[in-house]
Amino acid sequence: MQTLNPIRAAALLLVTILVSALFVAPPAHAAPAKTPPLSTPWTSQALDGTPLPDYPRPQMTRPDWLNLNGEWQLRQSATNDAPQFGVTLPERVNVPFAVESALSGVMRPINDNRYYLFYRRTFTVPQSWAGRRLQLHFGAVDWEAAVYVNGRLMGTHRGGYDRFEYDVTDALNGGTNELVVKVYDPSDSGHNGSHQAIGKQTRNPSAIFYTPVSGIWQTVWLEPTPTSSISSVDLYPNLSDNTLRVRVFTRGNVSGHSVLAEAMNGTTVVGSATGGFTDFSVPVPNARRWTPDDPFLYNLRVSLRDGSGQTADRTTHYFGMREVGTRVVNGVLRPTLNGEFVYHLGTLDQGYWPDGLYTAPTDAALAFDLQKHKELGFNMVRKHIKVEPQRWYYHADRLGLLVWQDIPSMQAGSRQISAAHAQQFEAEAREIVDEHRSSPAVVAYVPFNEGWGEWNLTDTRRVIQNIKSQDPTRLVNGHSGFNCCDSLGDPGNGDMTDWHMYPGPDAPSPSATRISILGEFGGLGLRTPGHEYSPHGGFFAYEQQASAAQLNDRYTGMVRDLRQLVATKGLSGSVYTEITDLEGEYNGLMTYDRQVQKVDTNLVRAAHQSLLATARNQNAAPNLTPGHVRSFRSTTSGFADRYLRHANSVARTDVIGTASPDPARQDASFRTVPGLADPRCYSFESVNLPGRYLRHANSVVRLDADTGGPFAADATWCARPGRSGSGTSFESSNFPGAFLRHHSDNVYLARPSGANPFDGGATFDADATWDVSGAALWRSGVVLPVDVRRSLQVQTWGFTNRYLRHANSLAATEVVDAGSAALLKNDATWTVRRGLADSGCYSFESVNFPGRYLRHASSRVRMDPNDQSTLFAQDATWCARPGLQGGGVTLESINFPGSYLRHYDSQVWSANGTGGTWNRPQMLTADSTWNLTTPWTP
């Protein structure tokens, strides 16, 4: 467990963006904050000057604006009073913090029945803005807001999660102007028949539902605009022709006007186009793709020009060149980013703060959780049942995080939903989709979760399809967790089929139209006294962990299980619960106050990188199963009995067969792993010299350990269809056009033509084509000593005092220690033999029942006498591979590849993790990893 350094964290997250230095709001004082239940590293900074002074709309910027955050007057009422004008209100509140929060200075009780809030402040329009229209912007107000300027109603807005604005020019008085906002927020009280979208808010917090949020909770600001002006711009990248599709929306009279759009790399214009007020395309030559690994953002300058060509208005935007979709990869439907399968690895991010509730105390705090995702190796975040301020999406865009955006639900567990309630929910959903069209990070929408607020299955399907039709450029996860809770069932449409599984993991089967997603899992809990808060006094986690070490082991084990599910069940994405603790929940990877990180960054990041690399390797074509051992057989006529092997660290070819000595067969066998430099390709690790890989150096192919520098690229080979028409060729990752080729017994990095004697020639295509489809000469990825005694120790956390033993001819695990009976020690000791079915694998013979071996029969592992049959030999042969848990050894059935010797509930099975009970995917990697230890009976 590590303590977070708030000063360093803030420094890392303070980013300078194009607009931040251009806008200066006048200083504002704030009402004193109340004492929050927990303080974050930013609590003390939140009210130092104007709260949240940062420009609130980085996706569309202008140079002039005025921040209205700070101290406002407040009146709370239990009755639907009329607003009062010209009257000082009795309380003070800090905008934009909800009145239930400590930073608001109010911190009203959770179950307060004063559903009506009246906000008041004054403002003066800067003289330099004279002659322009004035737009009044609200980031978000929960739930219904009526806005008055100088007593004049500007409009009424419903919906707590979308922005809105009014042109207030005609209501201004030329001096000090009065702004009054009347808010109605009944939360989940049902007051006056209300049933609005509330997400996780409740007036009775418990379990996974939290303190409600009422009133203004995002920035309020003023912006001057020309009489004819740009109101919004939608941006859609098109990678097929390297263009950006632009659509500009306007205010005022734009008759005779045109639009100039200029794509920029920094401040350099790289492409431009002129259009009108329908879609037009801007060229982006040689476009740099936006990805989580390279979240490159272009700038876009949009100029509204009048009939004479003069600029009437100008705004600055940004965009990322990326496309989202699905395609079949190796027979499985997968989500794609820029045409390639990218696994979506994220957490549930609920966006609550102990000091500000829905509102992060500062912009650095807002970015902090996202930065922590990146540090831990996640590439995605599911914004759960909440919508964030626009700056949060900007941070996701610049950091490179895929975002699943939930549509906040109506009250969970209630079906009392009228047609009007449903219509309002759908209207808010449409607004949320419209507001995020231009964010490269937002790749998916999630309209329903576990049946919360669902009213009937037919309309669920309709809502899902409507969102897909509204924005076909993104994925729609129609109903996350349809297998759980209040769900009315699987809607059957959308782009994803999504289970929730606690603690998990597991996965639904993908189909021809929907990818497989684990929308929630995990919930591993670790208590951190002094950093927890519960408004109801109770605390909850899905699975309790006793220490940080156990949490690290259990979490990384879950990630390894996910890695298995990518291959065994076609899993394409997962969401861990959760990034931080919350009220009454201690499931987080960090504490609720963001003061303590519970997991080890290096361990978690390494596990994530392995998962992402394995998933990305699915893009390789031809696909070679990672983890499997293979041998490279020459396909050149007259040399088909020769194999690539290493000798004295140099690669060569020799005649080798199954009857050859063990060292030669081992030298010619290599474990396949995702490419060290590019996981879409491969690297090949020596079986008998683990940690050493086939690599090229000065065109000679060698076997070396990592020497740094270009080693990873030199040791990465991209599989290609065999140049001779069959088999497989291996192209260098860092020298395109050069291939793994044998020549005069040696192996080189060679080209089809060139000055070197090993380049080109009539046999080049055959020499650069290899058969890697057959069984490896040495099928085990780990070399074990034979004809020696060993005991097999369980490696699952909390069970490492257990060993595999036989009892009544069945394999089981039992606690064995120095004081155990001699019989038990004998039963837990085995002689490692050459595999009965293949001498490159292993069989395990009982020491107290010679001639009897560990074998599987109908998946159960037993100890039986060798009946000399082929079937018995196969059932009793296990190929060793590096432990799926990360250490130790895993024993794979030779006749059922992908099934492993696995303990479950004291029994031992041959399991592949695709079913339930003993064959469940949960903990497969830990339960299938063993330590071959000193024997209990020497």
Side-chain angles (χ1 to χ4, degrees):
M1 190 182 302
Q2 75 188 66
T3 301
L4 305 179
N5 183 326
I7 297 176
R8 179 176 179 273
L12 287 171
L13 293 168
L14 288 174
V15 293
T16 302
I17 66 169
L18 178 64
V19 299
S20 63
L22 301 179
F23 308 107
V24 179
H29 62 282
K34 300 293 187 182
T35 301
L38 296 171
S39 292
T40 70
W42 308 273
T43 300
S44 62
Q45 307 165 24
L47 303 181
D48 185 9
T50 301
L52 295 173
D54 312 273
Y55 189 77
R57 192 188 57 200
Q59 181 50 259
M60 179 174 136
T61 70
R62 288 190 177 91
D64 295 328
W65 72 294
L66 182 66
N67 193 329
L68 296 184
N69 291 345
E71 183 181 306
W72 289 43
Q73 298 171 17
L74 176 71
R75 181 170 68 89
Q76 305 181 70
S77 176
T79 59
N80 187 10
D81 305 339
Q84 299 170 313
F85 306 113
V87 175
T88 300
L89 304 183
E91 299 180 77
R92 298 295 177 266
V93 62
N94 296 316
V95 169
F97 298 103
V99 294
E100 290 85 357
S101 72
L103 289 177
S104 72
V106 180
M107 202 175 181
R108 78 176 191 180
I110 291 173
N111 58 356
D112 196 306
N113 64 0
R114 291 174 294 175
Y115 304 126
Y116 299 92
L117 306 174
F118 297 87
Y119 291 81
R120 180 181 183 269
R121 68 158 293 159
T122 60
F123 66 89
T124 302
V125 180
Q127 292 183 356
S128 60
W129 294 4
R132 287 185 276 180
R133 308 294 297 180
L134 189 66
Q135 313 301 323
L136 172 61
H137 297 271
F138 293 84
V141 180
D142 199 0
W143 173 74
E144 179 183 84
V147 178
Y148 301 82
V149 174
N150 296 324
R152 180 172 171 179
L153 178 65
M154 297 291 97
T156 299
H157 177 269
R158 286 185 167 184
Y161 299 96
D162 58 295
R163 67 178 185 261
F164 59 98
E165 65 265 353
Y166 299 111
D167 186 326
V168 300
T169 310
D170 296 340
L172 301 176
N173 61 17
T176 299
N177 298 278
E178 181 186 47
L179 170 59
V180 172
V181 182
K182 177 184 178 181
V183 177
Y184 171 60
D185 183 19
S187 190
D188 61 345
S189 68
H191 182 258
N192 288 340
S194 59
H195 201 78
Q196 78 253 33
I198 56 173
K200 288 290 197 84
Q201 302 178 60
T202 179
R203 288 163 51 83
N204 183 30
S206 63
I208 61 171
F209 298 94
Y210 320 123
T211 297
V213 172
S214 301
I216 299 171
W217 68 276
Q218 290 187 28
T219 292
V220 183
W221 56 294
L222 293 169
E223 177 186 39
T225 61
T227 302
S228 300
S229 66
I230 299 165
S231 60
S232 65
V233 179
D234 287 348
L235 308 175
Y236 305 92
N238 187 340
L239 302 191
S240 65
D241 61 2
N242 280 338
T243 62
L244 179 73
R245 182 160 55 94
V246 177
R247 184 164 191 176
V248 176
F249 300 87
T250 59
R251 305 183 192 91
N253 183 1
V254 294
S255 177
H257 287 57
S258 63
V259 175
L260 171 65
E262 300 167 288
M264 299 182 291
N265 183 341
T267 58
T268 301
V269 175
V270 297
S272 63
T274 300
F277 306 109
T278 57
D279 291 2
F280 65 96
S281 294
V282 180
V284 188
N286 302 311
R288 183 170 165 183
R289 303 317 197 222
W290 183 97
T291 69
D293 295 328
D294 182 23
F296 182 78
L297 297 175
Y298 288 91
N299 292 320
L300 182 73
R301 186 165 57 208
V302 178
S303 301
L304 178 66
R305 304 192 297 188
D306 62 21
S308 65
Q310 297 298 307
T311 298
D313 190 19
R314 174 172 288 166
T315 55
T316 302
H317 311 253
Y318 69 85
F319 63 94
M321 290 296 288
R322 68 100 182 98
E323 285 184 346
V324 176
T326 62
R327 72 178 178 91
V328 175
V329 178
N330 290 323
V332 178
L333 190 68
R334 301 288 194 181
T336 58
L337 180 68
N338 305 334
E340 289 192 349
F341 168 39
V342 173
Y343 186 92
H344 292 202
L345 176 63
T347 79
L348 206 67
D349 183 343
Q350 308 202 53
Y352 260 80
W353 299 83
D355 46 14
L357 295 179
Y358 258 20
T359 310
T362 68
D363 190 62
L366 187 70
F368 178 80
D369 289 357
L370 294 173
Q371 179 67 46
K372 187 57 61 176
H373 278 85
K374 292 293 289 187
E375 290 175 10
L376 292 171
F378 292 101
N379 68 357
M380 183 269 281
V381 55
R382 179 181 172 191
K383 179 47 62 177
H384 189 44
I385 315 293
K386 183 197 177 191
V387 181
E388 292 286 2
Q390 287 298 304
R391 288 193 64 83
W392 186 90
Y393 299 93
Y394 165 69
H395 291 310
D397 293 337
R398 69 174 181 82
L399 289 170
L401 279 165
L402 307 177
V403 173
W404 293 4
Q405 179 57 61
D406 283 16
I407 305 301
S409 66
M410 292 181 282
Q411 182 180 353
S414 174
R415 302 275 188 231
Q416 304 304 311
I417 299 172
S418 68
H421 296 145
Q423 290 169 8
Q424 178 62 32
F425 170 81
E426 293 183 51
E428 293 184 36
R430 287 192 295 272
E431 288 297 319
I432 291 168
V433 172
D434 276 343
E435 286 183 16
H436 298 94
R437 287 184 184 276
S438 300
S439 167
V442 176
V443 296
Y445 292 107
V446 187
F448 292 97
N449 180 81
E450 295 182 351
W452 301 351
E454 188 181 18
W455 56 98
N456 68 65
L457 193 55
T458 298
D459 280 346
T460 296
R461 296 187 181 105
R462 180 182 55 78
V463 170
I464 292 168
Q465 184 55 52
N466 286 349
I467 290 177
K468 185 66 177 182
S469 299
Q470 184 182 356
D471 188 353
T473 70
R474 290 178 168 85
L475 304 178
V476 177
N477 183 354
H479 194 158
S480 183
F482 69 79
N483 64 319
C484 177
C485 314
D486 295 330
S487 170
L488 294 175
D490 182 2
N493 62 338
D495 298 301
M496 304 181 185
T497 177
D498 179 317
W499 280 359
H500 292 181
M501 184 69 64
Y502 286 102
D506 202 346
S509 297
S511 70
T513 58
R514 294 192 296 170
I515 61 178
S516 171
I517 292 295
L518 180 57
E520 292 182 24
F521 80 104
L524 304 178
L526 180 64
R527 300 299 298 269
T528 51
H531 298 278
E532 301 172 337
Y533 168 66
S534 172
H536 49 83
F539 289 94
F540 163 80
Y542 289 94
E543 182 181 292
Q544 175 70 43
Q545 308 302 299
S547 66
Q550 184 183 11
L551 176 61
N552 283 317
D553 178 89
R554 185 76 172 94
Y555 177 78
T556 56
M558 283 184 161
V559 176
R560 286 186 284 269
D561 291 339
L562 292 172
R563 186 182 63 195
Q564 293 296 114
L565 287 166
V566 171
T568 59
K569 298 188 75 172
L571 181 66
S572 290
S574 54
V575 181
Y576 178 77
T577 301
E578 54 203 322
I579 186 62
T580 71
D581 292 347
L582 277 134
E583 295 179 353
E585 291 186 40
Y586 55 97
N587 301 311
L589 302 177
M590 293 185 293
T591 53
Y592 187 26
D593 57 10
R594 279 72 167 178
Q595 300 278 9
V596 178
Q597 180 178 308
K598 303 180 189 181
V599 293
D600 181 274
T601 297
N602 293 332
L603 292 175
V604 169
R605 184 175 179 84
H608 288 166
Q609 288 174 332
S610 177
L611 166 59
L612 292 173
T614 298
R616 199 173 183 202
N617 186 258
Q618 295 288 317
N619 293 290
N623 189 261
L624 309 177
T625 305
H628 281 203
V629 178
R630 62 194 72 249
S631 296
F632 294 73
R633 186 178 64 83
S634 168
T635 63
T636 305
S637 178
F639 298 93
D641 56 352
R642 301 183 72 89
Y643 287 83
L644 185 155
R645 57 90 57 94
H646 65 85
N648 299 318
S649 298
V650 177
R652 55 173 289 118
T653 64
D654 280 330
V655 176
I656 307 175
T658 56
S660 297
D662 289 356
R665 294 163 59 206
Q666 293 167 2
D667 289 348
S669 300
F670 300 88
R671 194 169 70 90
T672 308
V673 299
L676 299 179
D678 185 342
R680 296 169 299 181
C681 302
Y682 299 96
S683 294
F684 300 99
E685 183 181 15
S686 169
V687 163
N688 53 351
L689 293 175
R692 298 190 180 192
Y693 297 83
L694 284 179
R695 61 85 61 98
H696 63 83
N698 299 318
S699 297
V700 175
V701 177
R702 303 176 42 83
L703 185 79
D704 286 332
D706 191 346
T707 55
F711 176 86
D714 292 347
T716 298
W717 307 88
C718 300
R720 307 291 186 228
R723 294 181 60 89
S724 65
S726 62
T728 306
S729 294
F730 294 92
E731 185 177 13
S732 167
S733 167
N734 53 347
F735 287 89
F739 294 85
L740 186 74
R741 186 250 179 111
H742 67 86
H743 177 78
S744 299
D745 297 347
N746 297 315
V747 183
Y748 297 95
L749 181 68
R751 294 183 179 276
S753 62
N756 297 309
F758 49 78
D759 288 331
T763 63
F764 178 86
D765 285 344
D767 293 348
T769 300
W770 305 85
D771 180 7
V772 293
S773 63
L777 291 169
W778 192 269
R779 296 178 67 167
S780 286
V782 174
V783 177
L784 302 180
V786 295
D787 300 328
V788 298
R789 293 184 175 190
R790 291 290 185 267
S791 292
L792 278 70
Q793 180 187 21
V794 171
Q795 292 297 286
T796 306
W797 184 280
F799 297 94
T800 55
N801 59 347
R802 302 184 73 90
Y803 293 78
L804 190 153
R805 60 85 55 100
H806 63 83
N808 298 319
S809 297
L810 293 175
T813 65
E814 190 165 331
V815 175
V816 186
D817 56 31
S820 295
L823 176 61
L824 176 55
K825 291 179 178 179
N826 288 336
D827 290 348
T829 302
W830 307 86
T831 302
V832 183
R833 303 294 190 192
R834 291 176 178 275
L836 298 178
D838 188 303
S839 61
C841 298
Y842 304 94
S843 295
F844 296 86
E845 184 180 12
S846 168
V847 300
N848 52 350
F849 287 89
R852 297 192 177 198
Y853 294 84
L854 280 180
R855 60 86 61 98
H856 64 83
S858 300
S859 298
R860 188 74 162 87
V861 177
R862 309 173 43 82
M863 184 194 72
D864 286 335
N866 184 359
D867 63 8
Q868 306 302 315
S869 68
T870 299
L871 177 61
F872 182 92
Q874 293 174 342
D875 290 349
T877 299
W878 307 87
C879 298
R881 58 181 293 174
L884 295 176
Q885 190 186 36
V889 63
T890 291
L891 299 171
E892 184 176 15
S893 167
I894 195 171
N895 54 345
F896 287 89
S899 290
Y900 308 104
L901 188 75
R902 187 251 181 102
H903 71 89
Y904 175 81
D905 195 23
S906 300
Q907 300 173 347
V908 181
W909 300 80
S910 176
N912 62 13
T914 60
T917 59
W918 58 267
N919 201 25
R920 64 179 188 168
Q922 296 93 332
M923 300 186 71
L924 174 71
T925 56
D927 295 348
S928 299
T929 300
W930 306 83
N931 185 22
L932 269 67
T933 67
T934 302
W936 282 108
T937 301

